[in-house]
Amino acid sequence: MANPIYARLQATAQRLIAKYGQAGTVKRITPPDPVYGGDPVVTSYPATLVPMAYEARYIDGSVILAGDVQIYISSFGLSITPQVGDHVVANGIEYSIVNMDPNNFDGVTNVVYICQARA
C-alpha cells in the first residue's frame, strides 16, 4: 500500500526539478532480436531533469570518476524507470547511466530517480 508521505515527496521533487531543471530525454536501446537480427531500436522518452557535477570529496577514481555527473530525473510523468545502460541527454551531451537509485522507499512510489552518469 502506498504511503501518502511519498506521494507528497514525489510532488515536491517534481516541483523543484520543474523549477530549476531542464528538459531532456532518456534513451533506451533495445538490442536486435537474437534469432531474426535487425538493428537496435532506440526509443526516446522526454524527461525533466537536473544534471549536477559531483563534489570533489565524492570522486574516488574507482566508483565515481572525475567526469561523472549526478542526474536527478523527475519520476512524475516518466513512462519508464531508468536503468543502468540507458542514455540520458542533458545540456546537449549524451550520458550513459552507470548507477541508479529510484528512491522507492515503500515499494510503490518512485520519489525521484538519482542517476550516476558518465559521458
Side-chain angles (χ1 to χ4, degrees):
M1 181 172 177
N3 190 332
I5 193 165
Y6 298 121
R8 289 196 306 265
L9 287 172
Q10 181 188 41
T12 300
Q14 188 270 335
R15 189 175 59 252
L16 290 171
I17 292 173
K19 183 175 182 178
Y20 297 108
Q22 59 184 280
T25 57
V26 176
K27 291 183 180 180
R28 176 153 299 158
I29 301 171
T30 307
D33 187 275
V35 175
Y36 298 110
D39 294 327
V41 177
V42 178
T43 307
S44 296
Y45 300 92
T48 307
L49 48 89
V50 177
M52 295 182 289
Y54 278 99
E55 293 181 31
R57 63 183 169 159
Y58 296 118
I59 299 172
D60 60 2
S62 59
V63 176
I64 300 175
L65 304 179
D68 289 357
V69 294
Q70 192 172 24
I71 302 176
Y72 285 72
I73 303 174
S74 175
S75 62
F76 189 79
L78 189 61
S79 59
I80 61 165
T81 299
Q83 300 174 352
V84 173
D86 287 349
H87 297 268
V88 177
V89 178
N91 293 330
I93 302 170
E94 186 166 325
Y95 298 96
S96 179
I97 297 175
V98 294
N99 198 354
M100 213 282 295
D101 181 10
N103 283 271
N104 185 325
F105 304 109
D106 63 353
V108 177
T109 306
N110 293 320
V111 176
V112 62
Y113 302 115
I114 302 175
C115 305
Q116 175 187 353
R118 192 169 288 155

